[in-house]
Amino acid sequence: MARLVPVSDPGDPRLADYVRLRDVNLRKSLETEHGLFIAEGEKVIRRAVGTGYPARSFLMARRWVEPLADLLDEVNAPVYVADDATVEAVAGFQVHRGALASMERLPVPSVAETVRGVRRILILEDLVDHANVGSIYRCAAALGVDAVVLSPRCADPLYRRAIKVSMGAVFAVPYARMTNWHDDLGIIRGAGFGLLALTPDQSAVPLDKAPMGERVALMLGSEGDGLSSRWLAEADEAVCIPMSPAAMANGVDSLNVVAAAAIACHGLMRA
Amino acid sequence: MARLVPVSDPGDPRLADYVRLRDVNLRKSLETEHGLFIAEGEKVIRRAVGTGYPARSFLMARRWVEPLADLLDEVNAPVYVADDATVEAVAGFQVHRGALASMERLPVPSVAETVRGVRRILILEDLVDHANVGSIYRCAAALGVDAVVLSPRCADPLYRRAIKVSMGAVFAVPYARMTNWHDDLGIIRGAGFGLLALTPDQSAVPLDKAPMGERVALMLGSEGDGLSSRWLAEADEAVCIPMSPAAMANGVDSLNVVAAAAIACHGLMRA
């Protein structure tokens, strides 16, 4: 049976996991310190629980209990039930998607473990925007990328906004975070991957003509600067998405990183 | 010479074009009524002026005058100069990108005119999100799509947020808005275009294997519901982006519309 616990005081310490969900800095430190993340909305909560993340607690208005009843019955965690105003006062905004869940993070596997036995991976270097990271996971999941490796500075895929934008795909794609920006590419290469660096440079090999070996790791750079020169230099091949010559002449010569990632993931599928 | 006009009263009627830029409903009616749109930031303003849109006026803090001096000297429109607090009080938010310009809209050509003599077009049905429309124009411009045709209900590509997300690409791609959702597809077909409907349905022809004739129009549906059944039925061929079978089994079986559009525009380039 679900343990329903009525709450009405936004300052209730049992709701501390849910405070000020839009305060990025506060949330980053709070979630890291307590090893938690927030799942929002029925679909995403189901996916998080289904993936094996343990629930710490739930917070929702009464009307969201029924649609989640089967899950709440199974999971051994308190369900705090409050009116909309209380939820809003805690979270700091009106929670349209209804239910919130505070979930426990699990240990993230090492880079070596994550790439073992798989064939197609993305490596993201310093993508700091949560929505971009979430969107890229969604592409990766839908298009059959086996795993994602994040550079040390990449945004957290389990941050609420990343989860939401990914529609829960962040749970579906195994990932690792590099601990060593300098050397961890070597681990991936050592596991037999060819490293392709995606660059806007039109003198690079077009993605559709790039050699796709048995194992391919595609590296994507940050929103602003693209891949670092060090990572570009470490690649076996630089590849590009061909742009329209007219666009180049007009200065409309770039895609945003999500559009580039979508095309790249689609390209990885062909092999 | 630029006509610099110092202003300090946020209620100054000469600043009426710039009020409450984040109030979508107000802006929609105001911009329609006065036939204007707002360009934000040096790069986008340069692109708008370069495309031939006449400027009605500019509004900026003093420090943004210098970087735009050459353009302001050429254009015969008043440059309202105010401190940051005044600009913020008018616009309703802190304008990070500095300069604002109020531009005159030009008559949008008809569907028939827009598709005449071109080979690759996108047709967007009821995409209501400005950021999605802007992102799709950016993909279209970079990947060489010749023109965009919008259904009557599509979001306005000259809305500030669409322009910003597109990085000004909305100016680079000719477009038309259908006046008749029922019959305007017939005009496009009559101009010799094969109509491809993009659908998540995996029994459709994979995009990469779709027949690309001399002239191809790719139809993209709305964020939520996809293409209407009427438009699907009118297509010569339904095409899909192949999804990973594992993702389908996991329920992570869709791309967002921008990712889908990016892959589709890339696919259109090959012919």
Side-chain angles (χ1 to χ4, degrees):
Chain A
M1 277 297 294
R3 282 192 280 142
L4 302 189
V5 183
V7 290
S8 56
D9 172 11
D12 191 321
R14 293 172 297 179
L15 306 184
D17 284 3
Y18 302 96
V19 298
R20 287 158 59 193
L21 293 179
R22 288 195 169 158
D23 181 336
V24 180
N25 288 327
L26 170 80
R27 295 303 309 183
K28 275 187 190 167
S29 56
L30 184 154
E31 296 185 9
T32 308
E33 192 178 329
H34 297 285
L36 63 88
F37 68 90
I38 298 293
E40 185 182 356
E42 182 187 341
K43 190 172 167 185
V44 165
I45 291 173
R46 286 189 184 277
R47 201 159 275 171
V49 170
T51 310
Y53 289 101
R56 291 162 58 96
S57 68
F58 300 87
L59 171 61
M60 63 192 74
R62 183 83 213 190
R63 67 185 176 287
W64 300 110
V65 172
E66 185 55 36
L68 276 167
D70 58 316
L71 178 143
L72 299 175
D73 280 349
E74 264 174 40
V75 170
N76 182 32
V79 181
Y80 300 115
V81 178
D83 60 22
D84 288 328
T86 305
V87 176
E88 183 173 348
V90 177
F93 71 106
Q94 217 188 317
V95 180
H96 290 293
R97 298 191 183 212
L100 296 169
S102 173
M103 312 292 299
E104 235 167 73
R105 288 176 186 251
L106 296 171
V108 174
S110 70
V111 170
E113 270 175 274
T114 302
V115 305
R116 189 174 300 142
V118 305
R119 296 186 56 231
R120 296 287 176 261
I121 66 174
L122 288 186
I123 312 179
L124 308 184
E125 188 186 33
D126 296 0
L127 288 172
V128 296
D129 182 283
H130 290 110
N132 285 346
V133 169
S135 295
I136 291 174
Y137 271 79
R138 186 171 171 195
C139 293
L143 298 171
V145 168
D146 299 314
V148 174
V149 175
L150 306 172
S151 75
R153 277 206 296 249
C154 263
D156 176 12
L158 296 186
Y159 187 75
R160 185 180 59 93
R161 184 153 163 69
I163 297 174
K164 190 168 158 179
V165 168
S166 83
M167 311 271 282
V170 291
F171 307 132
V173 185
Y175 72 94
R177 187 179 289 277
M178 293 179 165
T179 49
N180 187 322
W181 178 84
H182 278 244
D183 301 334
D184 282 0
L185 281 186
I187 295 175
I188 296 170
R189 189 197 302 282
F193 284 85
L195 300 181
L196 301 184
L198 190 66
T199 164
D201 179 354
Q202 296 289 301
S203 67
V205 179
L207 178 66
D208 293 350
K209 302 198 166 64
M212 296 280 173
E214 172 60 21
R215 295 180 165 198
V216 179
L218 189 109
M219 302 191 279
L220 274 170
S222 77
E223 295 88 352
D225 301 328
L227 285 167
S228 64
S229 53
R230 173 159 182 144
W231 276 25
L232 269 174
E234 291 225 16
D236 296 302
E237 190 91 65
V239 297
C240 71
I241 296 168
M243 299 285 152
S244 137
M248 300 291 290
N250 267 327
V252 192
D253 55 356
S254 71
L255 291 166
N256 79 34
V257 69
V258 175
I263 295 169
C265 291
H266 180 71
L268 286 181
M269 273 191 105
R270 75 184 157 84
Chain B
M1 278 296 296
R3 284 193 279 143
L4 301 188
V5 183
V7 289
S8 56
D9 172 11
D12 191 321
R14 294 173 297 179
L15 306 184
D17 285 4
Y18 303 97
V19 298
R20 288 160 57 194
L21 293 179
R22 288 197 169 157
D23 181 336
V24 179
N25 288 329
L26 170 81
R27 295 303 309 182
K28 275 188 189 167
S29 56
L30 184 153
E31 297 186 8
T32 307
E33 192 178 331
H34 296 285
L36 63 86
F37 68 89
I38 298 293
E40 183 183 356
E42 182 187 341
K43 189 171 169 187
V44 165
I45 291 173
R46 287 189 184 279
R47 201 159 275 171
V49 170
T51 309
Y53 289 101
R56 292 162 58 96
S57 68
F58 299 87
L59 170 61
M60 64 191 75
R62 184 82 212 188
R63 66 184 177 286
W64 300 109
V65 172
E66 185 56 34
L68 276 167
D70 58 315
L71 177 143
L72 298 175
D73 280 350
E74 264 175 39
V75 170
N76 181 33
V79 181
Y80 300 115
V81 178
D83 59 21
D84 289 328
T86 305
V87 176
E88 184 174 346
V90 176
F93 71 106
Q94 216 186 323
V95 181
H96 289 293
R97 299 189 181 214
L100 296 168
S102 172
M103 314 292 299
E104 235 167 72
R105 288 176 186 251
L106 296 171
V108 174
S110 69
V111 170
E113 270 176 276
T114 302
V115 306
R116 189 175 299 144
V118 306
R119 296 185 58 231
R120 296 287 178 259
I121 67 174
L122 288 186
I123 311 179
L124 308 184
E125 188 186 33
D126 296 1
L127 289 171
V128 296
D129 182 283
H130 290 110
N132 285 346
V133 169
S135 294
I136 291 174
Y137 271 79
R138 188 172 169 193
C139 292
L143 298 172
V145 168
D146 299 315
V148 174
V149 175
L150 306 172
S151 75
R153 277 205 295 249
C154 263
D156 176 13
L158 296 186
Y159 187 75
R160 185 180 59 93
R161 184 154 163 70
I163 298 174
K164 191 168 157 180
V165 168
S166 83
M167 311 271 281
V170 290
F171 308 133
V173 185
Y175 72 94
R177 186 180 289 277
M178 293 178 165
T179 50
N180 187 320
W181 178 84
H182 279 243
D183 301 334
D184 281 2
L185 281 185
I187 295 176
I188 296 171
R189 187 197 303 280
F193 284 85
L195 301 181
L196 300 184
L198 190 66
T199 164
D201 178 354
Q202 296 291 299
S203 66
V205 179
L207 178 66
D208 293 351
K209 301 198 165 66
M212 294 280 174
E214 172 61 20
R215 296 180 165 197
V216 179
L218 189 110
M219 303 191 277
L220 274 170
S222 75
E223 296 88 352
D225 302 326
L227 285 167
S228 64
S229 53
R230 172 155 183 145
W231 277 25
L232 269 173
E234 291 227 14
D236 296 303
E237 191 89 67
V239 298
C240 71
I241 296 168
M243 299 285 152
S244 137
M248 300 290 292
N250 267 327
V252 192
D253 56 355
S254 72
L255 291 166
N256 79 32
V257 69
V258 175
I263 294 169
C265 291
H266 179 71
L268 287 181
M269 274 191 105
R270 74 185 157 85

